[in-house]
Amino acid sequence: MTSERAQAAHGGEYRQFLPDLSIPRFTTMKEQDAHVYSEAFKKGGIPPWLHGLYMHWLELLKEPFKGVTNDGTVKPGLFQLQDEGIPIQQIVEATNAVLSSLDEAQSSKIKLHIDSPEWRTWSNPEFLLSDKGIRLDELSEDLRSKVMAVLKATLSPEGYEKAVGAMRINGFLGELVESPKVMNEFSYNFVLFGEPSETTPWGFSFYGHHLCLNIFFYKTQIVVSPWFTGAEPNIIDDGPYKGTRILEAEEKLGLQLMQSLTPDQQSRAQTFKQMKDPAMPHGRWNHDDQRHLCGAYRDNRVVPYEGILVSAMTTEQQLLVVAILEQYLLYLPQPARDIRLESYKTWLPETYFSWIGGYGDADPFYYRIQSPVVIVEFDHHSGVFLTNEDPAKFHIHTLLRTPNAGDYGMALRPLIPGRRQEYLWEG
């Protein structure tokens, strides 16, 4: 690895990859607001590969919801209604405070039906592809603070800090490329599904560039899935939020686990040696998701198990797997997190760990942990706004899915008294 690539891989030298802001991509982006920018993208598509991906996403959305599976068949009976101790009264009160502060136009946009298929139209690029609800950078400071109070009441303190960190890094990127109208700390949409309630199901989606949270409530139970969190760069090195960094623990623990395996285990876990490997089948890598399999609009993807079984690992290695999963549960309030983690542990005999790329200290990599009840992915990306052609440790994408129809609380909905005993989204 060259000295330049080694520095890039470590994540601290992203500034050598700052783009030329005089090219049309950035001069145009600087002049447009988020809505004009999005409409121009939908009509013409720059870059064309991303526009092509978006058109493919629209086709995927036509499919009835099934959920991510490992073999195309949804396994029933994996999830149950339960008390998870979330502060539902505080969450409802915070949400009602938002609703009481809206004007007529905002009120007409923010609420969708609990079973609306628009749950599935979140996306993580900076393009505002689905303009639902209210956009935080278009609100008064008071109303924006009330929306953030909903997020704060819902998430754990450390989960809220992580979300705010992602938002601030997004704002920092907008400053780096001089396009704050499109990317800023509050370039996120907030939309409700159903009526805020302590006794009936409802939820919300909070989404934008590098942060997408889909949250379903029923009484004191919560589902935060699917979610996506990313950062480019993954650290703020200047300005009022200097020192902000996210996704460091997920990176460190993943590498620690891979390096702790025996050579034989490493060989079986490593599905591809290169991040863009010639041995990859068609479609295993794409420009946007790169190695991710479960990103936006991939609600029904079949993701076969790969790698090695966690149950074949040592106790110490299994503890590292659990530590990684706990990081991916950080958004959940502590009682719900503890319950979910115990559930994940019961499935360790059917949990797989897989890896792409090298596993030296400086190597970028991808990993996935997958069982019948959870999928988490971690990926180092090449540049989207920065110019690094190779994956680097300063651009990270992470996500969590709940397979077998667990996303969006769909597997729970038929269990709720009075609900239809079938999946409700027909595309």
Side-chain angles (χ1 to χ4, degrees):
M1 180 179 287
T2 65
S3 174
E4 180 180 279
R5 287 183 64 199
Q7 288 178 328
H10 279 296
E13 298 297 330
Y14 76 90
R15 285 188 176 271
Q16 64 186 295
F17 297 102
L18 292 176
D20 177 3
L21 300 184
S22 68
I23 65 175
R25 176 188 181 188
F26 293 107
T27 57
T28 302
M29 188 177 178
K30 186 187 303 186
E31 296 171 355
Q32 296 174 330
D33 67 21
H35 302 278
V36 174
Y37 180 69
S38 177
E39 287 306 309
F41 165 77
K42 291 177 181 179
K43 291 176 182 178
I46 299 175
W49 60 262
L50 184 56
H51 185 260
L53 182 66
Y54 170 58
M55 299 307 292
H56 180 54
W57 283 354
L58 295 183
E59 289 300 310
L60 293 176
L61 186 61
K62 295 177 183 178
E63 300 175 355
F65 178 83
K66 183 176 184 178
V68 178
T69 62
N70 71 291
D71 61 4
T73 301
V74 175
K75 294 179 175 59
L78 298 178
F79 308 101
Q80 63 183 6
L81 300 179
Q82 58 193 3
D83 178 8
E84 296 180 345
I86 67 165
I88 189 64
Q89 181 180 353
Q90 296 176 34
I91 298 167
V92 169
E93 289 174 353
T95 308
N96 284 333
V98 172
L99 294 177
S100 65
S101 302
L102 301 176
D103 60 29
E104 186 175 344
Q106 292 166 335
S107 294
S108 67
K109 287 190 65 178
I110 196 171
K111 283 200 289 188
L112 298 175
H113 192 276
I114 178 64
D115 295 319
S116 170
E118 290 293 327
W119 271 104
R120 300 172 59 193
T121 59
W122 61 273
S123 62
N124 55 281
E126 81 284 0
F127 296 99
L128 184 57
L129 299 181
S130 177
D131 187 11
K132 309 182 294 289
I134 53 178
R135 185 173 165 93
L136 270 66
D137 62 3
E138 298 173 345
L139 307 179
S140 67
E141 185 174 346
D142 176 67
L143 181 51
R144 185 164 59 235
S145 295
K146 289 179 179 177
V147 174
M148 292 303 295
V150 175
L151 211 59
K152 191 170 187 178
T154 300
L155 305 178
S156 69
E158 54 272 33
Y160 179 75
E161 182 180 357
K162 178 179 178 178
V164 169
M167 295 169 67
R168 288 174 174 172
I169 290 174
N170 184 58
F172 181 64
L173 176 60
E175 294 170 0
L176 286 175
V177 299
E178 298 179 2
S179 301
K181 292 181 181 178
V182 174
M183 291 189 298
N184 59 72
E185 184 179 349
F186 296 109
S187 54
Y188 295 88
N189 279 40
F190 176 72
V191 58
L192 294 176
F193 296 93
E195 296 285 343
S197 170
E198 296 180 38
T199 58
T200 59
W202 66 287
F204 68 80
S205 183
F206 185 97
Y207 68 98
H209 187 225
H210 278 165
L211 180 65
C212 307
L213 303 172
N214 293 287
I215 301 179
F216 173 85
F217 304 103
Y218 177 60
K219 296 184 177 180
T220 57
Q221 187 165 4
I222 185 172
V223 175
V224 183
S225 177
W227 66 249
F228 180 103
T229 308
E232 182 191 21
N234 67 320
I235 189 169
I236 298 177
D237 60 4
D238 191 26
Y241 302 129
K242 182 177 180 178
T244 299
R245 182 170 186 166
I246 63 172
L247 308 176
E248 187 176 16
E250 295 89 331
E251 177 184 80
K252 180 180 178 180
L253 289 168
L255 183 59
Q256 186 179 348
L257 174 60
M258 185 62 175
Q259 290 180 341
S260 75
L261 301 180
T262 66
D264 177 65
Q265 288 175 315
Q266 289 171 337
S267 176
R268 288 186 288 122
Q270 187 186 43
T271 55
F272 297 100
K273 294 182 179 180
Q274 299 178 44
M275 293 291 272
K276 190 178 180 182
D277 201 303
M280 288 177 173
H282 177 71
R284 183 60 187 86
W285 181 96
N286 69 60
H287 279 284
D288 182 61
D289 286 325
Q290 299 200 11
R291 285 144 297 275
H292 269 313
L293 296 173
C294 299
Y297 292 84
R298 301 293 181 171
D299 290 330
N300 295 334
R301 192 156 198 171
V302 176
V303 182
Y305 290 135
E306 295 179 310
I308 61 173
L309 275 167
V310 172
S311 58
M313 297 179 180
T314 66
T315 300
E316 290 76 14
Q317 291 164 344
Q318 290 185 27
L319 289 174
L320 284 173
V321 171
V322 172
I324 293 169
L325 291 173
E326 187 166 19
Q327 285 298 315
Y328 277 80
L329 289 173
L330 208 63
Y331 288 125
L332 289 173
Q334 192 67 57
R337 189 190 315 169
D338 292 341
I339 292 169
R340 204 65 42 82
L341 196 59
E342 287 304 312
S343 169
Y344 291 174
K345 289 178 184 179
T346 66
W347 286 99
L348 288 184
E350 200 175 331
T351 300
Y352 287 78
F353 171 72
S354 61
W355 188 273
I356 296 175
Y359 41 89
D361 289 348
D363 292 329
F365 55 81
Y366 161 95
Y367 69 78
R368 182 170 80 253
I369 297 173
Q370 180 178 356
S371 82
V373 293
V374 69
I375 298 176
V376 302
E377 294 187 274
F378 179 101
D379 196 23
H380 288 123
H381 273 224
S382 54
V384 173
F385 290 94
L386 302 175
T387 62
N388 54 296
E389 294 183 0
D390 295 321
K393 289 193 172 182
F394 51 69
H395 186 183
I396 300 173
H397 283 190
T398 65
L399 61 83
L400 178 145
R401 285 277 188 174
T402 307
N404 292 302
D407 282 336
Y408 314 102
M410 280 298 292
L412 296 178
R413 298 183 190 213
L415 306 179
I416 297 172
R419 300 286 299 174
R420 289 167 54 189
Q421 300 302 301
E422 59 190 64
Y423 295 129
L424 302 171
W425 291 335
E426 299 300 329

